[in-house]
Amino acid sequence: MRITFLDFDNRMIKYALVTGGSRGLGRAICIKLAKMGLPVIINYQSNEDAANETKQLIETEGGVAELLPFNVTDKNAIDTALSQWEEAHPDAYIAYLVNNAGIRRDGMMFMMPDEDWHAVLDTTLNGFFYISRRLLGTMMRKRHGGKIVNISSLSGLHGMAGQANYSAAKAGLIGATKSLALEVASRNVTVNAVAPGFIDTDMTKELDKESLEQMVPMKRFGKPEEVAELVGFLMSDAASYITGEVISINGGLFT
Ligand code: NAP
């Protein structure tokens, strides 16, 4: 499934921005979108080596990728980075946005430090808010259009002990997805969320995989590439009438 990277009158090049594209799900999503024909902007916070590796993996396959580091919790850094990018690309705009950057700071809530609560909400919710708000104006401008996919979690749908901060952030992201989808539907912008279960990435590497796999009806963790396929579908024209949805991808866990 290929996406056309030119807008309908062939005047603007459409880019995809993936936050947290250096590793894990974000990397697989960057690679998938590049394979679908989109030039990809790989955002990351600090892991430049990993981000460069993602870029090389895309370029080896003939894709186009650029790095754009910024902290998704820092409104000014986002604005500066995106303004510089826009100045350097007068014939392009970011039409596809994947709000993927996220962190875990697990712990029982009665003992949770303030900073663990705030850091998780800040990264997931404020990150989504600052970046989406910054890019929506251009997406909604007449004739442009766009697609946003937010990476939520099974934790945001069902809750998970030890993850009150993470579940709150991911559930909040689902609420924001649904509201924003209604706000921008008439402007040819779709907004959807994906809710993965356990996926093999750095984020899950210190979990007790063997026992958690037994909870999953499919008896295994998912692969980042499997989530990337779903995101790719939501970004494609095949999903043009889907908006405000949350799609689970979890091997049958709690569905
Ligand atoms: P990961 O392997 O830990 O990668 C996290 C990515 O987010 C990295 O690229 C990291 O950049 C970036 N990041 C973190 N904080 C950032 C910030 N403040 N600004 C910019 N980038 C930031 O995580 P993952 O497993 O791929 O998870 C990706 C998303 O999927 C997250 O939202 C996560 O909550 C969600 N999710 C994951 C699972 C799972 O089982 N893995 C399940 C459900 C949902 P650096 O490389 O520079 O640090």
Side-chain angles (χ1 to χ4, degrees), residues 19-27 43-48 50-51 70-73 99-104 123-124 151-155 166 170 194-204 207 221:
T19 67
S22 48
R23 296 182 278 128
L25 298 188
R27 171 181 286 178
N43 161 257
Y44 62 100
Q45 183 175 23
S46 55
N47 200 332
E48 191 177 353
F70 56 77
N71 181 341
V72 298
T73 70
N99 287 303
N100 165 77
I103 56 168
R104 277 196 311 125
T123 308
T124 290
I151 307 300
S152 180
S153 168
L154 177 68
S155 282
Y166 188 79
K170 295 300 189 180
V194 165
F198 294 112
I199 311 295
D200 256 323
T201 67
D202 290 346
M203 187 177 270
T204 51
L207 300 179
F221 279 17

mmCIF file of all heavy atoms in Angstrom, residues 19-27 43-48 50-51 70-73 99-104 123-124 151-155 166 170 194-204 207 221, ligand 1:
data_model
loop_
_atom_site.group_PDB
_atom_site.id
_atom_site.type_symbol
_atom_site.label_atom_id
_atom_site.label_comp_id
_atom_site.label_asym_id
_atom_site.label_seq_id
_atom_site.Cartn_x
_atom_site.Cartn_y
_atom_site.Cartn_z
ATOM 1 N N THR A 19 7.075 11.036 16.468
ATOM 2 C CA THR A 19 7.800 11.372 17.699
ATOM 3 C C THR A 19 8.318 10.074 18.327
ATOM 4 O O THR A 19 7.664 9.024 18.237
ATOM 5 C CB THR A 19 6.928 12.147 18.706
ATOM 6 O OG1 THR A 19 5.879 11.303 19.198
ATOM 7 C CG2 THR A 19 6.336 13.396 18.068
ATOM 8 N N GLY A 20 9.492 10.157 18.924
ATOM 9 C CA GLY A 20 10.100 8.939 19.479
ATOM 10 C C GLY A 20 10.370 7.920 18.384
ATOM 11 O O GLY A 20 10.124 6.727 18.556
ATOM 12 N N GLY A 21 10.922 8.393 17.272
ATOM 13 C CA GLY A 21 11.159 7.503 16.125
ATOM 14 C C GLY A 21 12.500 6.797 16.161
ATOM 15 O O GLY A 21 12.840 6.039 15.248
ATOM 16 N N SER A 22 13.285 7.048 17.201
ATOM 17 C CA SER A 22 14.640 6.477 17.236
ATOM 18 C C SER A 22 14.658 4.991 17.552
ATOM 19 O O SER A 22 15.557 4.269 17.112
ATOM 20 C CB SER A 22 15.488 7.229 18.276
ATOM 21 O OG SER A 22 14.771 7.344 19.491
ATOM 22 N N ARG A 23 13.671 4.543 18.336
ATOM 23 C CA ARG A 23 13.723 3.150 18.822
ATOM 24 C C ARG A 23 12.319 2.546 18.809
ATOM 25 O O ARG A 23 11.334 3.240 18.627
ATOM 26 C CB ARG A 23 14.238 3.124 20.271
ATOM 27 C CG ARG A 23 15.629 3.618 20.426
ATOM 28 C CD ARG A 23 16.095 3.509 21.868
ATOM 29 N NE ARG A 23 15.651 4.597 22.695
ATOM 30 C CZ ARG A 23 15.023 4.462 23.865
ATOM 31 N NH1 ARG A 23 14.758 3.255 24.332
ATOM 32 N NH2 ARG A 23 14.653 5.509 24.569
ATOM 33 N N GLY A 24 12.280 1.227 19.075
ATOM 34 C CA GLY A 24 11.028 0.537 19.369
ATOM 35 C C GLY A 24 9.934 0.730 18.332
ATOM 36 O O GLY A 24 10.159 0.637 17.123
ATOM 37 N N LEU A 25 8.727 0.995 18.823
ATOM 38 C CA LEU A 25 7.579 1.145 17.927
ATOM 39 C C LEU A 25 7.807 2.290 16.945
ATOM 40 O O LEU A 25 7.468 2.183 15.765
ATOM 41 C CB LEU A 25 6.301 1.455 18.729
ATOM 42 C CG LEU A 25 5.800 0.430 19.730
ATOM 43 C CD1 LEU A 25 4.438 0.839 20.264
ATOM 44 C CD2 LEU A 25 5.703 -0.921 19.083
ATOM 45 N N GLY A 26 8.368 3.386 17.455
ATOM 46 C CA GLY A 26 8.576 4.568 16.603
ATOM 47 C C GLY A 26 9.469 4.243 15.417
ATOM 48 O O GLY A 26 9.190 4.660 14.285
ATOM 49 N N ARG A 27 10.541 3.486 15.670
ATOM 50 C CA ARG A 27 11.434 3.108 14.561
ATOM 51 C C ARG A 27 10.678 2.278 13.518
ATOM 52 O O ARG A 27 10.775 2.538 12.316
ATOM 53 C CB ARG A 27 12.633 2.311 15.082
ATOM 54 C CG ARG A 27 13.442 1.719 13.954
ATOM 55 C CD ARG A 27 14.625 0.916 14.426
ATOM 56 N NE ARG A 27 15.685 1.781 14.917
ATOM 57 C CZ ARG A 27 16.833 1.334 15.432
ATOM 58 N NH1 ARG A 27 17.043 0.039 15.544
ATOM 59 N NH2 ARG A 27 17.753 2.183 15.848
ATOM 60 N N ASN A 43 11.802 12.059 14.978
ATOM 61 C CA ASN A 43 12.043 12.817 16.213
ATOM 62 C C ASN A 43 12.601 11.871 17.273
ATOM 63 O O ASN A 43 12.309 10.678 17.287
ATOM 64 C CB ASN A 43 10.745 13.459 16.704
ATOM 65 C CG ASN A 43 10.837 13.854 18.171
ATOM 66 O OD1 ASN A 43 10.290 13.164 19.039
ATOM 67 N ND2 ASN A 43 11.545 14.926 18.471
ATOM 68 N N TYR A 44 13.411 12.419 18.163
ATOM 69 C CA TYR A 44 13.906 11.678 19.318
ATOM 70 C C TYR A 44 14.292 12.701 20.366
ATOM 71 O O TYR A 44 14.348 13.911 20.091
ATOM 72 C CB TYR A 44 15.103 10.787 18.944
ATOM 73 C CG TYR A 44 16.305 11.551 18.448
ATOM 74 C CD1 TYR A 44 17.392 11.814 19.287
ATOM 75 C CD2 TYR A 44 16.335 12.051 17.144
ATOM 76 C CE1 TYR A 44 18.481 12.540 18.833
ATOM 77 C CE2 TYR A 44 17.417 12.780 16.697
ATOM 78 C CZ TYR A 44 18.488 13.021 17.544
ATOM 79 O OH TYR A 44 19.549 13.765 17.104
ATOM 80 N N GLN A 45 14.573 12.215 21.573
ATOM 81 C CA GLN A 45 14.947 13.149 22.632
ATOM 82 C C GLN A 45 16.461 13.270 22.770
ATOM 83 O O GLN A 45 17.002 14.360 22.717
ATOM 84 C CB GLN A 45 14.337 12.711 23.961
ATOM 85 C CG GLN A 45 14.630 13.687 25.078
ATOM 86 C CD GLN A 45 13.936 13.336 26.375
ATOM 87 O OE1 GLN A 45 13.574 12.176 26.599
ATOM 88 N NE2 GLN A 45 13.740 14.303 27.230
ATOM 89 N N SER A 46 17.150 12.132 22.936
ATOM 90 C CA SER A 46 18.585 12.199 23.211
ATOM 91 C C SER A 46 19.395 11.103 22.528
ATOM 92 O O SER A 46 20.617 11.211 22.425
ATOM 93 C CB SER A 46 18.817 12.103 24.731
ATOM 94 O OG SER A 46 18.202 10.922 25.214
ATOM 95 N N ASN A 47 18.753 10.049 22.053
ATOM 96 C CA ASN A 47 19.499 8.897 21.552
ATOM 97 C C ASN A 47 19.803 9.061 20.055
ATOM 98 O O ASN A 47 19.168 8.442 19.189
ATOM 99 C CB ASN A 47 18.674 7.623 21.811
ATOM 100 C CG ASN A 47 19.538 6.385 21.782
ATOM 101 O OD1 ASN A 47 20.565 6.365 21.104
ATOM 102 N ND2 ASN A 47 19.114 5.371 22.494
ATOM 103 N N GLU A 48 20.819 9.879 19.780
ATOM 104 C CA GLU A 48 21.130 10.212 18.388
ATOM 105 C C GLU A 48 21.602 8.993 17.601
ATOM 106 O O GLU A 48 21.276 8.842 16.412
ATOM 107 C CB GLU A 48 22.202 11.314 18.352
ATOM 108 C CG GLU A 48 22.387 11.886 16.969
ATOM 109 C CD GLU A 48 23.381 13.029 16.916
ATOM 110 O OE1 GLU A 48 23.849 13.475 17.978
ATOM 111 O OE2 GLU A 48 23.687 13.463 15.795
ATOM 112 N N ALA A 50 20.715 5.864 17.936
ATOM 113 C CA ALA A 50 19.558 5.045 17.549
ATOM 114 C C ALA A 50 18.771 5.736 16.438
ATOM 115 O O ALA A 50 18.305 5.085 15.490
ATOM 116 C CB ALA A 50 18.666 4.791 18.759
ATOM 117 N N ALA A 51 18.641 7.056 16.545
ATOM 118 C CA ALA A 51 17.891 7.804 15.514
ATOM 119 C C ALA A 51 18.608 7.688 14.164
ATOM 120 O O ALA A 51 17.974 7.490 13.119
ATOM 121 C CB ALA A 51 17.742 9.259 15.931
ATOM 122 N N PHE A 70 13.866 16.889 19.466
ATOM 123 C CA PHE A 70 13.335 17.835 20.447
ATOM 124 C C PHE A 70 12.628 17.037 21.523
ATOM 125 O O PHE A 70 12.261 15.876 21.316
ATOM 126 C CB PHE A 70 12.395 18.889 19.828
ATOM 127 C CG PHE A 70 11.220 18.342 19.049
ATOM 128 C CD1 PHE A 70 10.101 17.831 19.689
ATOM 129 C CD2 PHE A 70 11.231 18.358 17.659
ATOM 130 C CE1 PHE A 70 9.016 17.344 18.968
ATOM 131 C CE2 PHE A 70 10.138 17.863 16.926
ATOM 132 C CZ PHE A 70 9.037 17.349 17.588
ATOM 133 N N ASN A 71 12.496 17.692 22.677
ATOM 134 C CA ASN A 71 11.789 17.071 23.791
ATOM 135 C C ASN A 71 10.303 17.395 23.632
ATOM 136 O O ASN A 71 9.920 18.573 23.618
ATOM 137 C CB ASN A 71 12.346 17.664 25.098
ATOM 138 C CG ASN A 71 11.699 17.063 26.317
ATOM 139 O OD1 ASN A 71 10.618 16.476 26.253
ATOM 140 N ND2 ASN A 71 12.352 17.217 27.450
ATOM 141 N N VAL A 72 9.464 16.378 23.531
ATOM 142 C CA VAL A 72 8.033 16.628 23.264
ATOM 143 C C VAL A 72 7.327 17.351 24.412
ATOM 144 O O VAL A 72 6.208 17.830 24.239
ATOM 145 C CB VAL A 72 7.250 15.330 22.926
ATOM 146 C CG1 VAL A 72 7.782 14.683 21.661
ATOM 147 C CG2 VAL A 72 7.238 14.359 24.091
ATOM 148 N N THR A 73 7.973 17.449 25.560
ATOM 149 C CA THR A 73 7.348 18.163 26.677
ATOM 150 C C THR A 73 7.692 19.656 26.666
ATOM 151 O O THR A 73 7.193 20.399 27.505
ATOM 152 C CB THR A 73 7.782 17.577 28.046
ATOM 153 O OG1 THR A 73 9.157 17.895 28.267
ATOM 154 C CG2 THR A 73 7.590 16.077 28.100
ATOM 155 N N ASN A 99 1.963 10.530 17.154
ATOM 156 C CA ASN A 99 2.352 10.890 18.519
ATOM 157 C C ASN A 99 2.685 9.594 19.251
ATOM 158 O O ASN A 99 1.793 8.944 19.809
ATOM 159 C CB ASN A 99 1.218 11.650 19.203
ATOM 160 C CG ASN A 99 1.082 13.057 18.676
ATOM 161 O OD1 ASN A 99 2.029 13.838 18.720
ATOM 162 N ND2 ASN A 99 -0.088 13.395 18.147
ATOM 163 N N ASN A 100 3.964 9.230 19.192
ATOM 164 C CA ASN A 100 4.401 7.929 19.699
ATOM 165 C C ASN A 100 5.282 8.036 20.938
ATOM 166 O O ASN A 100 5.294 7.115 21.750
ATOM 167 C CB ASN A 100 5.167 7.209 18.572
ATOM 168 C CG ASN A 100 5.972 6.034 19.073
ATOM 169 O OD1 ASN A 100 5.428 4.965 19.352
ATOM 170 N ND2 ASN A 100 7.296 6.223 19.234
ATOM 171 N N ALA A 101 6.001 9.156 21.117
ATOM 172 C CA ALA A 101 6.936 9.265 22.246
ATOM 173 C C ALA A 101 6.201 9.005 23.559
ATOM 174 O O ALA A 101 5.121 9.553 23.787
ATOM 175 C CB ALA A 101 7.579 10.652 22.268
ATOM 176 N N GLY A 102 6.766 8.160 24.385
ATOM 177 C CA GLY A 102 6.131 7.864 25.673
ATOM 178 C C GLY A 102 7.127 7.239 26.621
ATOM 179 O O GLY A 102 8.159 6.693 26.190
ATOM 180 N N ILE A 103 6.825 7.362 27.905
ATOM 181 C CA ILE A 103 7.700 6.754 28.925
ATOM 182 C C ILE A 103 6.827 6.060 29.975
ATOM 183 O O ILE A 103 5.636 6.357 30.095
ATOM 184 C CB ILE A 103 8.602 7.798 29.629
ATOM 185 C CG1 ILE A 103 7.747 8.928 30.253
ATOM 186 C CG2 ILE A 103 9.627 8.372 28.667
ATOM 187 C CD1 ILE A 103 8.524 9.822 31.207
ATOM 188 N N ARG A 104 7.480 5.154 30.711
ATOM 189 C CA ARG A 104 6.836 4.501 31.860
ATOM 190 C C ARG A 104 7.587 4.895 33.115
ATOM 191 O O ARG A 104 8.820 4.994 33.086
ATOM 192 C CB ARG A 104 6.989 2.972 31.756
ATOM 193 C CG ARG A 104 6.014 2.272 30.914
ATOM 194 C CD ARG A 104 5.993 0.752 31.190
ATOM 195 N NE ARG A 104 7.280 0.084 31.201
ATOM 196 C CZ ARG A 104 7.732 -0.656 32.220
ATOM 197 N NH1 ARG A 104 7.031 -0.814 33.318
ATOM 198 N NH2 ARG A 104 8.911 -1.254 32.147
ATOM 199 N N THR A 123 4.842 13.761 29.086
ATOM 200 C CA THR A 123 5.347 13.219 27.818
ATOM 201 C C THR A 123 4.190 12.813 26.913
ATOM 202 O O THR A 123 4.147 13.182 25.728
ATOM 203 C CB THR A 123 6.260 11.998 28.085
ATOM 204 O OG1 THR A 123 7.253 12.372 29.042
ATOM 205 C CG2 THR A 123 6.937 11.525 26.818
ATOM 206 N N THR A 124 3.242 12.067 27.445
ATOM 207 C CA THR A 124 2.151 11.555 26.593
ATOM 208 C C THR A 124 1.140 12.642 26.256
ATOM 209 O O THR A 124 0.798 12.833 25.081
ATOM 210 C CB THR A 124 1.446 10.375 27.299
ATOM 211 O OG1 THR A 124 2.359 9.285 27.307
ATOM 212 C CG2 THR A 124 0.172 9.955 26.583
ATOM 213 N N ILE A 151 -0.376 6.977 19.813
ATOM 214 C CA ILE A 151 -0.084 5.649 20.364
ATOM 215 C C ILE A 151 -0.489 5.643 21.836
ATOM 216 O O ILE A 151 0.186 6.211 22.697
ATOM 217 C CB ILE A 151 1.403 5.269 20.195
ATOM 218 C CG1 ILE A 151 1.840 5.415 18.717
ATOM 219 C CG2 ILE A 151 1.611 3.838 20.687
ATOM 220 C CD1 ILE A 151 1.093 4.552 17.714
ATOM 221 N N SER A 152 -1.636 5.019 22.077
ATOM 222 C CA SER A 152 -2.132 4.863 23.442
ATOM 223 C C SER A 152 -1.635 3.522 23.968
ATOM 224 O O SER A 152 -0.516 3.121 23.684
ATOM 225 C CB SER A 152 -3.658 4.967 23.446
ATOM 226 O OG SER A 152 -4.156 4.824 24.749
ATOM 227 N N SER A 153 -2.470 2.822 24.715
ATOM 228 C CA SER A 153 -2.030 1.541 25.299
ATOM 229 C C SER A 153 -3.228 0.788 25.844
ATOM 230 O O SER A 153 -4.250 1.395 26.213
ATOM 231 C CB SER A 153 -1.047 1.808 26.443
ATOM 232 O OG SER A 153 -0.819 0.630 27.178
ATOM 233 N N LEU A 154 -3.072 -0.505 25.936
ATOM 234 C CA LEU A 154 -4.042 -1.340 26.646
ATOM 235 C C LEU A 154 -4.278 -0.797 28.057
ATOM 236 O O LEU A 154 -5.398 -0.827 28.571
ATOM 237 C CB LEU A 154 -3.472 -2.764 26.727
ATOM 238 C CG LEU A 154 -4.257 -3.814 27.481
ATOM 239 C CD1 LEU A 154 -5.549 -4.135 26.755
ATOM 240 C CD2 LEU A 154 -3.424 -5.069 27.630
ATOM 241 N N SER A 155 -3.210 -0.254 28.664
ATOM 242 C CA SER A 155 -3.318 0.324 30.013
ATOM 243 C C SER A 155 -4.319 1.465 30.069
ATOM 244 O O SER A 155 -4.916 1.709 31.113
ATOM 245 C CB SER A 155 -1.966 0.883 30.468
ATOM 246 O OG SER A 155 -1.139 -0.135 30.884
ATOM 247 N N TYR A 166 0.596 6.092 34.013
ATOM 248 C CA TYR A 166 0.626 5.685 32.596
ATOM 249 C C TYR A 166 -0.802 5.463 32.077
ATOM 250 O O TYR A 166 -1.160 5.898 30.977
ATOM 251 C CB TYR A 166 1.459 4.409 32.496
ATOM 252 C CG TYR A 166 1.772 3.931 31.104
ATOM 253 C CD1 TYR A 166 2.796 4.518 30.350
ATOM 254 C CD2 TYR A 166 1.072 2.866 30.531
ATOM 255 C CE1 TYR A 166 3.097 4.059 29.075
ATOM 256 C CE2 TYR A 166 1.370 2.400 29.270
ATOM 257 C CZ TYR A 166 2.384 2.997 28.540
ATOM 258 O OH TYR A 166 2.677 2.528 27.277
ATOM 259 N N LYS A 170 -2.582 7.504 29.089
ATOM 260 C CA LYS A 170 -3.022 6.824 27.858
ATOM 261 C C LYS A 170 -4.540 6.892 27.697
ATOM 262 O O LYS A 170 -5.048 6.940 26.572
ATOM 263 C CB LYS A 170 -2.528 5.379 27.860
ATOM 264 C CG LYS A 170 -0.997 5.250 27.800
ATOM 265 C CD LYS A 170 -0.418 5.887 26.552
ATOM 266 C CE LYS A 170 1.058 5.565 26.382
ATOM 267 N NZ LYS A 170 1.630 6.190 25.169
ATOM 268 N N VAL A 194 -4.139 4.018 18.581
ATOM 269 C CA VAL A 194 -3.800 2.597 18.559
ATOM 270 C C VAL A 194 -3.458 2.212 19.995
ATOM 271 O O VAL A 194 -2.769 2.968 20.690
ATOM 272 C CB VAL A 194 -2.595 2.380 17.607
ATOM 273 C CG1 VAL A 194 -1.973 1.025 17.812
ATOM 274 C CG2 VAL A 194 -3.026 2.558 16.156
ATOM 275 N N ALA A 195 -3.988 1.089 20.434
ATOM 276 C CA ALA A 195 -3.748 0.666 21.827
ATOM 277 C C ALA A 195 -3.045 -0.686 21.851
ATOM 278 O O ALA A 195 -3.691 -1.738 21.876
ATOM 279 C CB ALA A 195 -5.078 0.604 22.579
ATOM 280 N N PRO A 196 -1.707 -0.677 21.857
ATOM 281 C CA PRO A 196 -0.984 -1.950 21.878
ATOM 282 C C PRO A 196 -1.004 -2.591 23.269
ATOM 283 O O PRO A 196 -1.093 -1.899 24.289
ATOM 284 C CB PRO A 196 0.463 -1.556 21.509
ATOM 285 C CG PRO A 196 0.396 -0.134 21.032
ATOM 286 C CD PRO A 196 -0.794 0.468 21.702
ATOM 287 N N GLY A 197 -0.911 -3.924 23.260
ATOM 288 C CA GLY A 197 -0.656 -4.661 24.506
ATOM 289 C C GLY A 197 0.841 -4.720 24.730
ATOM 290 O O GLY A 197 1.527 -3.711 24.559
ATOM 291 N N PHE A 198 1.360 -5.895 25.106
ATOM 292 C CA PHE A 198 2.808 -6.027 25.339
ATOM 293 C C PHE A 198 3.541 -6.185 24.008
ATOM 294 O O PHE A 198 3.290 -7.123 23.262
ATOM 295 C CB PHE A 198 3.101 -7.248 26.212
ATOM 296 C CG PHE A 198 2.556 -7.127 27.610
ATOM 297 C CD1 PHE A 198 1.522 -7.933 28.037
ATOM 298 C CD2 PHE A 198 3.084 -6.199 28.497
ATOM 299 C CE1 PHE A 198 1.015 -7.824 29.333
ATOM 300 C CE2 PHE A 198 2.590 -6.069 29.796
ATOM 301 C CZ PHE A 198 1.546 -6.885 30.207
ATOM 302 N N ILE A 199 4.455 -5.252 23.747
ATOM 303 C CA ILE A 199 5.242 -5.297 22.515
ATOM 304 C C ILE A 199 6.725 -5.337 22.900
ATOM 305 O O ILE A 199 7.138 -4.657 23.842
ATOM 306 C CB ILE A 199 4.969 -4.042 21.628
ATOM 307 C CG1 ILE A 199 3.456 -3.788 21.452
ATOM 308 C CG2 ILE A 199 5.668 -4.185 20.277
ATOM 309 C CD1 ILE A 199 2.671 -4.835 20.711
ATOM 310 N N ASP A 200 7.489 -6.139 22.164
ATOM 311 C CA ASP A 200 8.925 -6.294 22.430
ATOM 312 C C ASP A 200 9.709 -5.037 22.084
ATOM 313 O O ASP A 200 10.007 -4.802 20.906
ATOM 314 C CB ASP A 200 9.471 -7.436 21.548
ATOM 315 C CG ASP A 200 9.688 -8.693 22.342
ATOM 316 O OD1 ASP A 200 10.106 -8.582 23.507
ATOM 317 O OD2 ASP A 200 9.429 -9.772 21.789
ATOM 318 N N THR A 201 10.017 -4.213 23.080
ATOM 319 C CA THR A 201 10.854 -3.020 22.859
ATOM 320 C C THR A 201 11.664 -2.777 24.136
ATOM 321 O O THR A 201 11.498 -3.488 25.129
ATOM 322 C CB THR A 201 9.997 -1.747 22.609
ATOM 323 O OG1 THR A 201 9.306 -1.434 23.822
ATOM 324 C CG2 THR A 201 9.007 -1.911 21.487
ATOM 325 N N ASP A 202 12.475 -1.718 24.111
ATOM 326 C CA ASP A 202 13.232 -1.350 25.320
ATOM 327 C C ASP A 202 12.300 -1.114 26.505
ATOM 328 O O ASP A 202 12.646 -1.375 27.653
ATOM 329 C CB ASP A 202 14.048 -0.069 25.080
ATOM 330 C CG ASP A 202 15.198 -0.299 24.117
ATOM 331 O OD1 ASP A 202 15.516 -1.479 23.851
ATOM 332 O OD2 ASP A 202 15.761 0.694 23.621
ATOM 333 N N MET A 203 11.088 -0.595 26.203
ATOM 334 C CA MET A 203 10.161 -0.246 27.283
ATOM 335 C C MET A 203 9.720 -1.478 28.085
ATOM 336 O O MET A 203 9.367 -1.378 29.261
ATOM 337 C CB MET A 203 8.925 0.460 26.699
ATOM 338 C CG MET A 203 8.002 1.001 27.753
ATOM 339 S SD MET A 203 6.610 1.903 27.076
ATOM 340 C CE MET A 203 7.251 3.553 26.993
ATOM 341 N N THR A 204 9.724 -2.627 27.446
ATOM 342 C CA THR A 204 9.218 -3.836 28.122
ATOM 343 C C THR A 204 10.331 -4.821 28.449
ATOM 344 O O THR A 204 10.063 -5.930 28.906
ATOM 345 C CB THR A 204 8.181 -4.547 27.227
ATOM 346 O OG1 THR A 204 8.742 -4.729 25.927
ATOM 347 C CG2 THR A 204 6.893 -3.759 27.118
ATOM 348 N N LEU A 207 10.580 -6.415 31.970
ATOM 349 C CA LEU A 207 9.402 -7.105 32.518
ATOM 350 C C LEU A 207 9.637 -8.619 32.530
ATOM 351 O O LEU A 207 10.499 -9.126 31.806
ATOM 352 C CB LEU A 207 8.157 -6.801 31.672
ATOM 353 C CG LEU A 207 7.736 -5.331 31.554
ATOM 354 C CD1 LEU A 207 6.504 -5.197 30.677
ATOM 355 C CD2 LEU A 207 7.471 -4.734 32.934
ATOM 356 N N PHE A 221 4.576 -11.789 23.076
ATOM 357 C CA PHE A 221 4.533 -10.337 22.917
ATOM 358 C C PHE A 221 4.393 -10.021 21.420
ATOM 359 O O PHE A 221 4.806 -10.815 20.571
ATOM 360 C CB PHE A 221 5.827 -9.695 23.438
ATOM 361 C CG PHE A 221 5.873 -9.512 24.939
ATOM 362 C CD1 PHE A 221 5.014 -10.197 25.791
ATOM 363 C CD2 PHE A 221 6.799 -8.638 25.516
ATOM 364 C CE1 PHE A 221 5.066 -10.022 27.178
ATOM 365 C CE2 PHE A 221 6.864 -8.452 26.899
ATOM 366 C CZ PHE A 221 5.996 -9.143 27.724
HETATM 367 P P1 NAP B 1 10.850 2.861 23.840
HETATM 368 O O1 NAP B 1 11.449 1.693 23.142
HETATM 369 O O2 NAP B 1 11.188 3.131 25.255
HETATM 370 O O3 NAP B 1 11.121 4.175 22.954
HETATM 371 C C1 NAP B 1 10.663 5.409 23.420
HETATM 372 C C2 NAP B 1 10.869 6.446 22.337
HETATM 373 O O4 NAP B 1 10.285 7.680 22.805
HETATM 374 C C3 NAP B 1 12.323 6.736 22.056
HETATM 375 O O5 NAP B 1 12.429 7.034 20.678
HETATM 376 C C4 NAP B 1 12.607 7.988 22.897
HETATM 377 O O6 NAP B 1 13.662 8.806 22.369
HETATM 378 C C5 NAP B 1 11.277 8.703 22.748
HETATM 379 N N1 NAP B 1 11.013 9.668 23.815
HETATM 380 C C6 NAP B 1 10.798 9.448 25.125
HETATM 381 N N2 NAP B 1 10.584 10.607 25.785
HETATM 382 C C7 NAP B 1 10.668 11.588 24.838
HETATM 383 C C8 NAP B 1 10.553 12.991 24.879
HETATM 384 N N3 NAP B 1 10.290 13.648 26.034
HETATM 385 N N4 NAP B 1 10.717 13.689 23.724
HETATM 386 C C9 NAP B 1 10.965 13.052 22.554
HETATM 387 N N5 NAP B 1 11.085 11.713 22.461
HETATM 388 C C10 NAP B 1 10.942 10.996 23.591
HETATM 389 O O7 NAP B 1 9.244 2.765 23.814
HETATM 390 P P2 NAP B 1 8.268 1.912 22.889
HETATM 391 O O8 NAP B 1 7.967 0.632 23.559
HETATM 392 O O9 NAP B 1 8.727 1.942 21.490
HETATM 393 O O10 NAP B 1 6.950 2.801 23.042
HETATM 394 C C11 NAP B 1 6.514 3.710 22.062
HETATM 395 C C12 NAP B 1 5.116 4.170 22.425
HETATM 396 O O11 NAP B 1 4.250 3.032 22.471
HETATM 397 C C13 NAP B 1 5.006 4.818 23.805
HETATM 398 O O12 NAP B 1 4.080 5.860 23.768
HETATM 399 C C14 NAP B 1 4.497 3.704 24.675
HETATM 400 O O13 NAP B 1 3.832 4.195 25.795
HETATM 401 C C15 NAP B 1 3.579 2.993 23.718
HETATM 402 N N6 NAP B 1 3.299 1.607 24.051
HETATM 403 C C16 NAP B 1 4.293 0.696 24.131
HETATM 404 C C17 NAP B 1 3.992 -0.620 24.473
HETATM 405 C C18 NAP B 1 5.037 -1.688 24.591
HETATM 406 O O14 NAP B 1 4.694 -2.794 25.061
HETATM 407 N N7 NAP B 1 6.271 -1.467 24.204
HETATM 408 C C19 NAP B 1 2.657 -0.985 24.702
HETATM 409 C C20 NAP B 1 1.662 -0.020 24.606
HETATM 410 C C21 NAP B 1 1.988 1.270 24.266
HETATM 411 P P3 NAP B 1 15.227 8.524 22.744
HETATM 412 O O15 NAP B 1 15.617 7.301 21.943
HETATM 413 O O16 NAP B 1 15.950 9.750 22.311
HETATM 414 O O17 NAP B 1 15.277 8.275 24.218
#
